[in-house]
Amino acid sequence: MSFDIPRPLYRFALVIGLLAILYLALTPAESVPGLGFDKANHLLAFLVLAWLADGGWPGRERAWKRWGWLLCYGAFIESMQYELPYRDASWFDLLANLLGLALYSGLKWRFPQWGIFPRLPPQPLPQTTGDA
């Protein structure tokens, strides 16, 4: 089983995911929707964001940029929550975000055969002219 999802669709879903997470993170809530444990919500959210970012901008050379931007996004959310009287910022939330990114990377490395991880299309081999 392999998913051949076009890059623009990954990118669109990533933007929707980023906006949804921002909304959930900044609105007052009596109970946090999701898995019932705030850190698990962070881990799962950033695992999914990592998958979407990897699909939108695949390639090993771009991984550090993707993860860096996603961690900056997580830090931005925590800084906004610090300023809100009805929310709390936490370093443990950032750690859970980082663990979500690491879990995605580990799963992609360990189980590439699952076929759910985005990959670059195969590159054509360079043509040789026969001059040796």
Side-chain angles (χ1 to χ4, degrees):
M1 176 175 77
S2 177
F3 295 110
D4 292 326
I5 302 171
R7 282 188 207 169
L9 189 55
Y10 276 111
R11 293 174 181 178
F12 178 73
L14 177 63
V15 170
I16 297 300
L18 291 170
L19 292 173
I21 290 168
L22 183 65
Y23 173 77
L24 291 171
L26 299 181
T27 56
E30 294 299 319
S31 65
V32 178
L35 299 175
F37 180 59
D38 180 52
K39 303 314 175 245
N41 292 339
H42 281 263
L43 188 139
L44 181 62
F46 274 76
L47 185 141
V48 171
L49 290 176
W51 177 64
L52 294 172
D54 192 23
W57 292 273
R60 178 176 268 169
E61 68 281 352
R62 297 178 181 167
W64 288 108
K65 289 180 185 177
R66 286 190 304 264
W67 307 158
W69 281 112
L70 288 175
L71 284 175
C72 286
Y73 174 74
F76 168 73
I77 287 176
E78 293 305 313
S79 68
M80 296 295 290
Q81 287 181 337
Y82 178 78
E83 298 295 328
L84 296 173
Y86 50 85
R87 290 298 224 174
D88 295 318
S90 168
W91 287 104
F92 291 111
D93 288 348
L94 285 175
L95 179 61
N97 298 345
L98 178 62
L99 289 175
L101 298 177
L103 180 60
Y104 173 80
S105 295
L107 289 172
K108 183 177 179 181
W109 172 77
R110 179 64 181 94
F111 300 104
Q113 70 274 16
W114 283 358
I116 61 170
F117 302 110
R119 51 186 189 271
L120 289 171
Q123 300 296 320
L125 295 174
Q127 298 292 326
T128 57
T129 60
D131 297 331

